[in-house]
Amino acid sequence: MLEEVERWLATRSWSVSDRPLHRVMAAKRSSGQTVSVVLPALNEEETVGDIVAIIRHDLMQQVPLVDEIVVVDSGSTDRTAAVAAAAGARVVHRDAILPRIPAVPGKGEVLWRSLLVTTGDIVCFIDADLREFSSDFVAGIVGPLLTDPDVDLVKAMYDRPLGGAAGQGGRVTELMARPLLNMHWPQLAGFVQPLGGEYAARRSLLEQLPFPVGYGVELGMLVDALHLVGLDALAQVDVGVRKHRHQDGQALGRMSAAIYRTAQLRLARGHLIRPSLTQFERGEDGFEPRTYSVDTEERPPMVEITEYAERRVA
């Protein structure tokens, strides 16, 4: 490991207990900064309501750390929107945001558009499929942004159990993202959960970043933030254990392909020779190929969008 990374781990890797809530709140009051929490959601009616309710109770009613909770629904066919609204979130449908640019499927697309419907100086992203959720996920990653003005982006780190085994989750991280980062961006080798969906950042940083529309958004954001603001502006906070719905192996393969493509574009800023992935499923006549396109689109930095610039002036 690089000496720079060892130093970073000693100075930019914290525990949620390092910043008690009263200290975080004091920093919020003195700075006057506002906090938005965004949950990208697609068919998460079983979990999204509990997450919203816990954030509202712990971080809006008991202490005013969070100023708004926005659930961006990316086309759910279940009761995600209704459940989220009933729990107290403002629900916005992806297609209603910036309608002049047709939306495409993908998590990164939703996160990018969320910048247009939130107002916080700090934006905190939380996946909507978390179980046994704790508000420490939000307070832990927002805290450093309020107490340390030289920090611009904070990722959550945690254990990810799989099937009762500790630390076996995050298979795409271990098999794809971590090797890529260690080989090509070794300054980022200290991130425990580089692909984790729980992170917070200053709007002033997020609006300057391009957003891969799909699963590559987390890796792309880390790499681009490293180049834009440097390693010392990035940090991570241990928030305990993350439990969520796990994807099957083929879904993980598609996710890995999107992440590899995101890395490839950042290495060469070129084009994919073949932006597709073929997988196999056993059918009546043996193994049958299934070919999926790999996300190749990225959204430009939000500061380049006319509607966003007009909103800032207004």
Side-chain angles (χ1 to χ4, degrees), residues 13 41 101 210 219 309:
S13 290
I101 299 179
L219 183 135

Side-chain angles (χ1 to χ4, degrees), residues 94-167:
R94 176 199 62 198
D95 297 349
I97 307 171
L98 199 61
R100 74 171 175 86
I101 299 179
V104 297
K107 180 183 180 183
E109 176 84 352
V110 173
L111 300 185
W112 181 72
R113 289 176 186 263
S114 75
L115 297 181
L116 263 169
V117 293
T118 53
T119 59
D121 302 303
I122 294 168
V123 183
C124 174
F125 299 119
I126 301 290
D127 281 351
D129 66 342
L130 303 189
R131 303 180 184 277
E132 300 179 29
F133 177 77
S134 166
S135 59
D136 282 349
F137 274 70
V138 175
I141 56 180
V142 166
L145 294 165
L146 291 168
T147 62
D148 297 66
D150 53 346
V151 172
D152 289 326
L153 183 149
V154 182
K155 298 276 295 190
M157 56 177 167
Y158 33 66
D159 294 314
R160 294 184 67 180
L162 175 64

Side-chain angles (χ1 to χ4, degrees), residues 39 44-55 58 126-138 158-164 198 239-246:
L39 278 73
E44 304 294 357
E45 67 175 356
E46 293 185 6
T47 51
V48 68
D50 287 342
I51 297 172
V52 170
I54 289 169
I55 296 172
D58 293 358
I126 301 290
D127 281 351
D129 66 342
L130 303 189
R131 303 180 184 277
E132 300 179 29
F133 177 77
S134 166
S135 59
D136 282 349
F137 274 70
V138 175
Y158 33 66
D159 294 314
R160 294 184 67 180
L162 175 64
E198 292 70 44
V239 296
V241 179
R242 183 187 196 267
K243 296 182 179 180
H244 66 113
R245 182 185 67 252
H246 291 281

Side-chain angles (χ1 to χ4, degrees), residues 2-314:
L2 297 176
E3 286 187 16
E4 181 181 8
V5 176
E6 292 182 352
R7 177 190 55 76
W8 179 85
L9 282 169
T11 60
R12 287 291 186 267
S13 290
W14 298 298
S15 167
V16 66
S17 61
D18 290 336
R19 288 174 180 77
L21 199 51
H22 67 82
R23 179 186 166 198
V24 173
M25 286 305 305
K28 184 177 192 291
R29 286 190 294 268
S30 65
S31 69
Q33 295 180 91
T34 54
V35 177
S36 300
V37 175
V38 172
L39 278 73
L42 177 62
N43 295 328
E44 304 294 357
E45 67 175 356
E46 293 185 6
T47 51
V48 68
D50 287 342
I51 297 172
V52 170
I54 289 169
I55 296 172
R56 278 189 58 82
H57 176 268
D58 293 358
L59 303 179
M60 296 182 82
Q61 296 170 349
Q62 289 198 333
V63 296
L65 177 63
V66 172
D67 297 280
E68 64 176 347
I69 306 176
V70 178
V71 171
V72 183
D73 188 346
S74 58
S76 297
T77 56
D78 64 2
R79 297 181 62 252
T80 290
V83 170
R90 176 160 61 93
V91 179
V92 185
H93 290 271
R94 176 199 62 198
D95 297 349
I97 307 171
L98 199 61
R100 74 171 175 86
I101 299 179
V104 297
K107 180 183 180 183
E109 176 84 352
V110 173
L111 300 185
W112 181 72
R113 289 176 186 263
S114 75
L115 297 181
L116 263 169
V117 293
T118 53
T119 59
D121 302 303
I122 294 168
V123 183
C124 174
F125 299 119
I126 301 290
D127 281 351
D129 66 342
L130 303 189
R131 303 180 184 277
E132 300 179 29
F133 177 77
S134 166
S135 59
D136 282 349
F137 274 70
V138 175
I141 56 180
V142 166
L145 294 165
L146 291 168
T147 62
D148 297 66
D150 53 346
V151 172
D152 289 326
L153 183 149
V154 182
K155 298 276 295 190
M157 56 177 167
Y158 33 66
D159 294 314
R160 294 184 67 180
L162 175 64
Q168 295 302 306
R171 291 161 289 173
V172 175
T173 292
E174 300 304 330
L175 298 175
M176 175 60 71
R178 199 176 308 286
L180 280 172
L181 292 175
N182 275 264
M183 287 187 290
H184 298 297
W185 297 281
Q187 287 177 295
L188 297 174
F191 277 94
V192 176
Q193 297 292 351
L195 300 185
E198 292 70 44
Y199 48 99
R202 300 190 191 281
R203 178 177 295 272
S204 57
L205 171 63
L206 293 172
E207 65 187 12
Q208 297 182 69
L209 298 177
F211 276 62
V213 298
Y215 286 120
V217 63
E218 275 84 23
L219 183 135
M221 190 176 295
L222 265 187
V223 171
D224 293 339
L226 174 68
H227 289 295
L228 193 62
V229 296
L231 181 60
D232 282 341
L234 313 181
Q236 60 185 349
V237 174
D238 188 348
V239 296
V241 179
R242 183 187 196 267
K243 296 182 179 180
H244 66 113
R245 182 185 67 252
H246 291 281
Q247 305 269 14
D248 63 33
Q250 293 209 331
L252 297 180
R254 297 189 291 274
M255 189 182 301
S256 297
I259 290 164
Y260 179 75
R261 159 261 169 202
T262 300
Q264 181 191 48
L265 290 182
R266 276 151 181 79
L267 287 168
R269 293 296 173 183
H271 64 278
L272 281 176
I273 296 173
R274 182 176 178 268
S276 60
L277 173 72
T278 299
Q279 299 177 318
F280 294 88
E281 297 177 7
R282 184 180 288 280
E284 294 182 0
D285 299 320
F287 286 103
E288 300 174 356
R290 299 283 189 272
T291 300
Y292 302 88
S293 62
V294 175
D295 295 322
T296 58
E297 189 170 357
E298 295 196 2
R299 294 305 191 188
M302 188 57 78
V303 290
E304 299 178 9
I305 300 299
T306 301
E307 290 87 341
Y308 188 77
E310 291 174 347
R311 190 193 75 165
R312 297 178 73 191
V313 171

